[in-house]
Amino acid sequence: MQACRSCSGHDLQEVLSLGEMPPANALPTASQLDDEEARYPLEVVMCTGCTLLQLTESPPPDELFVDYAYFSSRSTPMVDHARALVNEVMDERRLGPNDLVIEVASNDGYLLRHYRDLGVKVLGIDPAENVVEVAVAAGIPTRVAFFTSSLADELRSEGLTASVVHANNVLAHVPDINDFVAGVARILSDDGVFVVETPYVRDLIEKLEFDTIYHEHVFYYSLHSVMELFARNGLSVVDVKRIGIHGGSLRLRATPIKRAIKVGNSVAMMLRQEKDLGIDDPSFYSDFAHRVDGLLDELRVFLGERRDQGRRIAGYGAAAKGTVLLNALGIGTETIEFVVDETPYKQGRFIPGVRIPIVGPGALLTQMPDDVLIFAWNFADAIIEKEAAYRARGGVFLLPVPTPRVVTG
Ligand code: DWN
Ligand code: ZN
């Protein structure tokens, strides 16, 4: 990679290298275990020009997102979170049957279903044919496509413009990000709003969430770097707030620059915070790799001690984060017997690279491992509550970041 994907700058400073890894959601089936897995460098650099952190290499999106393992509705907290967001936007915008809401990366309809139930017109856009099938079966009109500026023009030529465009956990995933944002600017109606949720680089660094670095996540945004990207493509960020989802994200609203809407105080305040923290300065990231190495060493000791005591350990959540964590640790079935996950697509498959079997959550009670390491730590509360019977029988939950620890209380 020679230049920044956002501003084309050439001064790229290394932040972290996790070596060569298989794509986090490329879960092999039993019959594929003898096949060679594709591996790509997993390296993050910072552009000193526009301050955007990004991968040096990312597999072609076709390879990552067409047959996709992630079904948003399989995580109840995601559905609940989406419902709350829809209610917030409905209160703000008073949308009705003549308004169109578009979600880019609409997955299985986990968010649009709430607008549809409120009588608002919806259109999903998502490249994952296998996941879109679920959305369409649930009555959510969805285009199987990657969102691009030419798709935006096509939709506009069909007379479609959006009162709201949602993009949750996709702004980080699109290598040609300028074209993507330009497309949003084109499909928004004149008084439309772009509502985005994307993981926040401040949380990644401060909470050592290195396992959220994987090939699907090409970018790691600050407010500063998002604003540079949006301004270049005709959008102005008018409101922003930090939210807890997925380890800590930004929820921001943007409108076409030509509307010259007054920028809210929230934007100025967060930019001030980022300046005071030095988030747009390479030195903010200079000890991250060292801290990650320290965490990996701590995790190896923590898990090794429990295994040496004869404790059997399983995992919870065949999350992309789990693939990164396990491959970075270099541990497999000698330490983690199996991983449970409620997603039918994932069951019967294996964690890439380390080949740990993925099974249904019933295995917790039938196999009764002593410890369960939660890879989907962003949903730990919901998982621990759900698996109360396992704890009642003496099962122990473990969390890996920002420090390895036993869940008590
Ligand atoms: O950006 C992305 C985020 C939104 O989701 C995608 N690129 C990939 C994916 O990342 P992830 O796989 O790390 O996300 P999650 O949401 O932490 O994965 C949770 C996994 O755990 C899912 O496979 C579902 C599973 N799960 C479960 O089996 N029972 C989750 C919950 C809450 C449960 O109760
Ligand atoms: Zn740049």
Side-chain angles (χ1 to χ4, degrees):
M1 170 198 167
Q2 302 310 316
C4 171
R5 293 182 182 85
S6 176
C7 76
S8 306
H10 288 277
D11 184 13
L12 306 172
Q13 311 257 319
E14 182 170 323
V15 172
L16 175 73
S17 173
L18 289 171
E20 300 244 329
M21 280 213 187
N25 274 318
L27 313 179
T29 60
S31 62
Q32 295 166 328
L33 288 179
D34 296 334
D35 300 350
E36 179 83 15
E37 278 173 300
R39 287 175 173 268
Y40 302 88
L42 192 53
E43 294 168 335
V44 179
V45 294
M46 177 201 188
C47 169
T48 59
C50 71
T51 78
L52 181 56
L53 273 73
Q54 56 203 281
L55 297 187
T56 55
E57 279 196 50
S58 65
D62 281 336
E63 196 177 303
L64 295 176
F65 299 111
V66 173
D67 175 32
Y68 199 42
Y70 189 77
F71 292 73
S72 301
S73 301
R74 287 291 166 183
S75 297
T76 310
M78 271 293 270
V79 177
D80 296 344
H81 174 84
R83 182 184 304 109
L85 173 59
V86 167
N87 290 336
E88 184 181 298
V89 173
M90 287 297 285
D91 288 349
E92 257 168 42
R93 315 278 305 183
R94 299 265 167 256
L95 301 175
N98 298 324
D99 288 294
L100 174 65
V101 173
I102 291 177
E103 183 179 17
V104 180
S106 48
N107 199 269
D108 57 10
Y110 77 104
L111 179 139
L112 289 178
R113 72 181 63 177
H114 305 299
Y115 280 112
R116 187 274 313 272
D117 294 349
L118 292 168
V120 178
K121 273 192 304 205
V122 298
L123 176 64
I125 298 169
D126 197 295
E129 290 166 49
N130 67 314
V131 181
V132 167
E133 260 172 40
V134 175
V136 170
I140 307 294
T142 306
R143 302 271 178 107
V144 177
F146 287 98
F147 181 75
T148 60
S149 61
S150 43
L151 177 57
D153 292 340
E154 192 186 309
L155 292 170
R156 213 170 172 117
S157 69
E158 294 169 22
L160 297 174
T161 58
S163 304
V164 181
V165 172
H166 279 282
N168 281 358
N169 304 299
V170 58
L171 202 70
H173 298 59
V174 183
D176 190 356
I177 194 62
N178 282 296
D179 178 72
F180 179 94
V181 177
V184 172
R186 287 190 214 175
I187 196 60
L188 275 175
S189 63
D190 287 346
D191 63 347
V193 64
F194 182 31
V195 184
V196 177
E197 290 186 358
T198 194
Y200 188 24
V201 73
R202 180 178 176 184
D203 293 294
L204 162 62
I205 302 299
E206 290 183 346
K207 295 190 277 186
L208 261 184
E209 298 171 345
F210 80 96
D211 53 349
T212 62
I213 295 170
Y214 39 86
H215 295 108
E216 294 179 19
H217 289 172
V218 181
F219 300 110
Y220 303 83
Y221 291 105
S222 62
L223 175 59
H224 179 124
S225 57
V226 163
M227 290 179 72
E228 293 249 342
L229 167 68
F230 278 24
R232 191 180 307 119
N233 292 289
L235 291 178
S236 164
V237 176
V238 294
D239 183 67
V240 64
K241 74 176 182 180
R242 296 179 72 177
I243 54 175
I245 196 90
H246 287 298
S249 296
L250 289 181
R251 174 183 292 165
L252 51 90
R253 286 168 169 75
T255 56
I257 281 180
K258 58 181 185 273
R259 278 201 24 233
I261 278 210
K262 185 177 168 319
V263 171
N265 290 335
S266 61
V267 174
M269 282 167 59
M270 191 174 287
L271 280 177
R272 177 79 259 148
Q273 264 179 7
E274 291 193 345
K275 202 95 189 118
D276 294 346
L277 281 167
I279 283 186
D280 47 8
D281 184 314
S283 63
F284 183 77
Y285 307 94
S286 54
D287 70 343
F288 185 61
H290 176 67
R291 291 168 56 219
V292 170
D293 283 343
L295 172 54
L296 290 171
D297 289 343
E298 270 185 73
L299 268 165
R300 288 188 191 96
V301 168
F302 178 74
L303 295 172
E305 281 171 352
R306 299 184 84 83
R307 190 192 56 211
D308 295 348
Q309 291 161 16
R311 293 181 71 87
R312 294 172 46 230
I313 310 172
Y316 204 110
K321 295 182 288 287
T323 300
V324 174
L325 189 88
L326 288 164
N327 279 277
L329 285 169
I331 63 173
T333 48
E334 84 294 329
T335 306
I336 307 283
E337 277 183 35
F338 56 85
V339 176
V340 302
D341 196 291
E342 289 180 274
T343 312
Y345 174 99
K346 297 186 175 182
Q347 294 166 6
R349 291 173 180 259
F350 294 76
I351 303 289
V354 294
R355 304 322 186 52
I356 296 173
I358 303 166
V359 297
L364 286 196
L365 294 180
T366 55
Q367 304 282 329
M368 227 20 237
D370 301 294
D371 295 331
V372 172
L373 178 61
I374 302 180
F375 296 122
W377 41 260
N378 43 315
F379 295 133
D381 294 347
I383 289 168
I384 292 166
E385 191 184 330
K386 179 182 292 185
E387 303 299 349
Y390 167 71
R391 283 188 103 188
R393 285 175 50 183
V396 172
F397 282 107
L398 311 175
L399 288 169
V401 301
T403 54
R405 60 201 185 280
V406 174
V407 174
T408 54

